[in-house]
């Protein structure tokens, strides 16, 4: 490798080749028969037989030919079965190659060719009963969410479903003011509360507050409890409902990921109606977000949005090490002390397991290796980057057309600056509207947006295959650029937001909303009418009320 050119130099990134491959095949044959063998077989038989037992030559030859016939018949069936099995295996392999591009066809890095065959479907079923009215409900459900904007979004979504399970009246959820981000925004400051209530009126009755008259009649304050993470509907019916019926008002605290991942299809579709339709941002947030999208579109026909979680708290929580020496170990170690329950982790072990967020430089290298040129426009959504400008510089050299909300919003951003959740909402809009969305982590915003982009038409969404890429990045200086690029493209298959990445029970429902994605019937002509297509359609268009396994 002494002759390897220094591919990390920008001057060597002119035109990167597409990944190519080929296939080959081979075969063989053989033959045999029994003609002319009877005499030899008869001679051998007679040599081994007793001379006292005389058997006619014709009988011996007949018996041996009969035996050979049985053997031939058996081996013929085996060969036939093996040929059939191999042919089916090749047919399925060919189908899979057609569905995901295989290893021979380069992936379109900007758009999935199969995206037009799928659409979001979250309409309520004909047997989904109307919402229970406030005066007939089992009581009022108060929800206190937890975490940042997108973590709270999952809590709000699940709160609606839990209210439905309990036949309760939901009070507009309370947002978290005590988290790391210290944002005192209320629900009404971020989401269109009237739209939220009206759009879900057929599913759940929602009120802005418990009526004063009802509160004065209560003998005790609302009962407060915290349910276990990912609790099944049966838990709420067995443990929460009796208290609700007795006390009439129950508050559930730290409500994030407190409902099971797998529910029946009607409840999953309710999740989608909440997350993708009812949770609309306030008008000021929507208007600024749209202006930023328009600005990006004026500069370039298409752009990439990168959600770059490289803030000090994120790195401290991950337990990873990024080469900053004792200074980095001390600073991140002090932040990590905020979480008293975190275990001691091996930074090297976490990186090998793919648990470490990619650095800005690594994100840039991945995108260039996939085929994005250095004149591509990128929008970076992030908070405070650990290491500041020095950390971002390699990414900016790889993609000089680098923009953030601070760079293009100017004075319009000032009213939002004191509120981290409102700033995150603006980033959410610009990322959602991008042609390609990339995240360097698997955090809440990455998951929520990945699920939304699948629901909204499988817009290209790239998740780094961090487990394999981390090893590759560590060895990148020891290989040619072409080799590095081919390996990145190979490792990223299955992590590009293709429709066939959707699998029942895979990951969090918020990231893989399989119950809410349907396949157009017309796509049969494109995929071929074979058994694998029919099974795929069953995955995405199952009958209502069938539990997801």
């Amino acid at each position: 490798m002494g002759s390897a050119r220094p591919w990390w130099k920008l001057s060597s990134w002119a035109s990167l080749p597409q990944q190519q491959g080929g296939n080959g095949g081979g075969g063989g044959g053989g033959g045999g028969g029994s003609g002319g063998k009877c005499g030899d077989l008869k001679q051998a038989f007679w040599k081994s037989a007793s001379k006292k037992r005389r058997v006619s030559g014709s009988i011996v030859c007949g018996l041996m030919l009969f035996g050979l016939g049985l053997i031939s018949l058996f081996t013929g069936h085996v060969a036939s079965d093996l040929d059939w099995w191999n042919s089916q295996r090749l047919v399925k392999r060919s189908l899979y190659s057609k569905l995901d591009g295989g290893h021979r066809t380069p992936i379109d890095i900007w758009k999935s060719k199969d995206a037009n065959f799928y659409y979001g479907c979250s309409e309520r079923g004909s047997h989904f009963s109307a919402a229970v009215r406030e005066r007939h409900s089992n009581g009022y459900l108060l929800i206190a969410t937890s975490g940042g904007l997108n973590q709270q979004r999952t809590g709000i979504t699940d709160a609606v479903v839990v209210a439905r399970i309990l036949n309760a009246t939901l009070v507009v959820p309370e947002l978290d003011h005590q988290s790391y981000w210290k944002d005192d925004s209320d629900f009404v400051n971020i989401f269109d509360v009237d739209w939220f209530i009206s759009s879900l009126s057929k599913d759940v009755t929602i009120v802005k507050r418990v009526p004063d008259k009802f509160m004065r009649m209560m003998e005790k304050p609302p009962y407060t409890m915290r349910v276990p993470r990912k609790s099944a509907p049966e838990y709420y019916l067995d443990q929460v409902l009796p208290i609700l019926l007795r006390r009439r008002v129950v508050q559930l605290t730290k409500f994030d990921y407190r409902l099971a991942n797998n529910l029946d299809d009607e409840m999953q579709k309710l999740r989608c109606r909440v997350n993708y339709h009812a949770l609309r941002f306030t008008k000021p947030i929507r208007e600024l977000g749209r202006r930023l999208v328009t600005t990006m579109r004026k500069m370039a026909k298409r752009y990439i949005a990168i959600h770059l979680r490289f803030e000090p708290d994120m790195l401290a929580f991950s337990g990873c090490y990024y080469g900053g020496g004792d200074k980095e170990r001390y600073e991140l170690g002090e932040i990590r002390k905020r979480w008293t329950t975190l275990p001691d982790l091996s930074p090297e072990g976490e990186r090998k397991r793919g648990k470490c967020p990619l650095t800005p430089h690594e994100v840039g290298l991945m995108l260039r290796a996939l085929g994005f040129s250095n004149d591509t426009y990128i929008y970076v959504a992030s908070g405070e980057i650990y290491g500041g400008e020095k950390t971002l510089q390699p990414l900016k050299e790889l993609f000089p057309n680098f923009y953030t909300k601070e760079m293009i919003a100017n004075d319009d951003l000032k009213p939002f600056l004191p509120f981290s959740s409102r700033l995150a909402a603006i980033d959410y809009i610009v990322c959602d509207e991008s042609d390609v969305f990339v995240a360097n982590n698997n955090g809440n915003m990455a998951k929520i947006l990945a699920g939304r982009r699948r629901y909204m038409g499988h817009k290209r969404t790239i998740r780094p295959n961090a487990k394999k890429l981390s090893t590759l990045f560590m060895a990148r200086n020891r290989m040619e650029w072409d080799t590095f690029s081919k390996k990145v493209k190979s490792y990223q298959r299955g992590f590009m937001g293709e429709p066939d990445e959707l699998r029942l029970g895979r990951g969090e429902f918020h990231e893989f909303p399989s119950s809410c994605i349907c396949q157009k019937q017309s796509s049969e002509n494109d995929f071929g009418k074979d058994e694998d297509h029919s099974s795929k359609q069953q995955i995405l268009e199952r009958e209502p009320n069938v539990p997801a396994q």
Side-chain angles (χ1 to χ4, degrees), residues 16-246:
L16 305 182
Q18 295 290 330
Q19 185 180 13
Q20 297 180 359
N23 67 334
S34 58
K37 300 292 186 182
C38 185
D40 295 335
L41 290 169
K42 183 169 62 176
Q43 185 178 2
F45 178 84
W46 280 110
K47 285 182 179 180
S48 61
S50 172
K51 293 181 180 180
K52 294 182 180 180
R53 299 179 60 187
R54 293 185 173 274
V55 183
S56 69
S58 60
I59 295 176
V60 173
C61 186
L63 288 172
M64 298 305 293
L65 287 174
F66 179 72
L68 285 173
L70 288 176
I71 294 171
S72 177
L73 181 64
F74 172 74
T75 56
H77 277 296
V78 171
S80 177
D81 290 342
L82 286 173
D83 288 341
W84 179 87
W85 184 83
N86 280 321
S87 67
Q88 293 299 307
R89 186 165 60 107
L90 290 172
V91 166
K92 289 188 176 182
R93 182 183 299 170
S94 174
L95 175 67
Y96 296 149
S97 296
K98 181 167 59 176
L99 289 175
D100 67 7
H103 292 284
R104 296 183 295 276
T105 306
I107 295 177
D108 184 337
I109 55 178
W110 285 101
K111 184 179 180 180
S112 169
K113 63 183 178 63
D114 298 327
N116 293 333
F117 303 140
Y118 299 87
Y119 62 97
C121 51
S122 61
E123 298 81 3
R124 62 184 59 80
S126 58
H127 300 293
F128 198 65
S129 59
V132 176
R133 294 302 149 203
E134 183 177 356
R135 65 179 179 273
H136 299 303
S137 72
N138 291 328
Y140 292 91
L141 181 65
L142 305 175
I143 294 292
T145 59
S146 177
L149 174 65
N150 292 286
Q151 186 173 337
Q152 293 182 92
R153 191 182 187 104
T154 65
I156 296 167
T157 299
D158 287 348
V160 174
V161 179
V162 169
R164 173 81 190 193
I165 292 170
L166 296 173
N167 277 334
T169 296
L170 177 67
V171 180
V172 170
E174 176 186 337
L175 300 189
D176 186 358
H177 298 161
Q178 305 300 322
S179 67
Y180 173 84
W181 292 270
K182 297 291 187 296
D183 188 332
D184 61 0
S185 298
D186 291 320
F187 190 103
V188 69
N189 301 127
I190 297 177
F191 300 106
D192 186 336
V193 65
D194 293 325
W195 172 265
F196 177 71
I197 293 172
S198 62
S199 64
L200 294 171
S201 60
K202 294 182 179 179
D203 300 308
V204 173
T205 297
I206 305 174
V207 296
K208 294 181 180 179
R209 56 181 295 175
V210 178
D212 292 337
K213 180 179 178 180
F214 189 89
M215 292 292 288
R216 287 194 297 267
M217 293 171 56
M218 292 176 57
E219 297 179 357
K220 297 179 180 180
Y223 186 89
T224 300
M225 63 185 297
R226 185 186 302 181
V227 300
R229 291 177 71 85
K230 299 185 178 180
S231 295
E234 291 75 16
Y235 179 90
Y236 288 93
L237 294 173
D238 295 341
Q239 303 296 325
V240 181
L241 181 57
I243 300 174
L244 179 65
L245 291 172
R246 187 170 65 251

Side-chain angles (χ1 to χ4, degrees), residues 239-366:
Q239 303 296 325
V240 181
L241 181 57
I243 300 174
L244 179 65
L245 291 172
R246 187 170 65 251
R247 301 289 293 270
R248 300 297 294 166
V249 181
V250 170
Q251 182 182 45
L252 303 181
T253 62
K254 292 286 183 181
F255 201 79
D256 61 328
Y257 296 102
R258 303 290 166 174
L259 182 61
N261 191 48
N262 293 332
L263 305 173
D264 70 64
D265 273 9
E266 285 298 333
M267 290 302 185
Q268 300 288 49
K269 289 186 177 183
L270 177 55
R271 270 175 162 164
C272 294
R273 290 197 292 276
V274 179
N275 198 0
Y276 306 138
H277 298 282
L279 283 176
R280 186 172 75 176
F281 293 122
T282 60
K283 187 176 180 180
I285 292 175
R286 295 200 312 271
E287 288 180 345
L288 181 54
R290 288 169 182 165
R291 285 202 296 273
L292 299 190
V293 172
T294 300
T295 302
M296 291 298 298
R297 295 283 182 213
K298 286 180 178 178
M299 291 188 290
K301 182 179 179 182
R302 51 192 183 184
Y303 69 93
I304 300 174
I306 303 175
H307 181 226
L308 203 57
R309 282 303 314 271
F310 212 71
E311 299 91 343
D313 70 295
M314 179 68 172
L315 303 188
F317 187 86
S318 71
C320 299
Y321 173 68
Y322 290 92
D326 291 339
K327 180 176 182 292
E328 176 187 326
R329 292 189 180 94
Y330 172 77
E331 291 175 346
L332 299 186
E334 288 298 303
I335 298 174
R336 191 172 173 82
K337 290 178 182 178
R338 297 172 184 171
W339 299 283
T340 57
T341 59
L342 291 182
D344 291 331
L345 299 173
S346 164
E348 294 79 11
E350 291 303 288
R351 179 166 288 276
K352 289 179 180 178
R353 293 173 57 215
K355 300 298 183 181
C356 295
L358 269 60
T359 68
H361 188 198
E362 289 170 341
V363 172
L365 290 175
M366 177 189 72

